[in-house]
Amino acid sequence: MPKIKRPRKGWWRPERYKRIFRVTKVKPSEKGLPPCPACGEWTMQRDGARNELFCGLCGAVL
């Protein structure tokens, strides 16, 4: 069997398993908060000045 020189960048391999990440429209700093109890959407945000949670979609305050 003939010897083949390895390419500089390495052998090409097809990626078999590509993970699909579903990104929510909530800011990354707001992750970890519960869903809104009023509308059920994952749009809760933290107000730093008043230290309370509010929904960015419907405006419900916790």
Side-chain angles (χ1 to χ4, degrees):
M1 194 164 189
K3 294 188 176 185
I4 300 172
K5 188 175 180 183
R6 180 178 170 268
R8 280 189 204 172
K9 296 181 180 179
W11 300 107
W12 179 81
R13 290 189 319 177
E15 292 184 20
R16 287 185 265 169
Y17 304 107
K18 281 194 174 183
R19 293 182 65 188
I20 298 172
F21 295 100
R22 295 185 183 184
V23 180
T24 58
K25 293 184 180 179
V26 181
K27 296 177 185 177
S29 61
E30 306 296 329
K31 285 186 177 180
L33 297 178
C36 177
C39 63
E41 297 292 328
W42 292 87
T43 54
M44 294 300 287
Q45 297 176 356
R46 185 178 301 279
D47 186 8
R50 296 182 182 171
N51 198 15
E52 60 185 16
L53 299 174
F54 69 96
C55 180
L57 190 64
C58 67
V61 178
L62 287 179

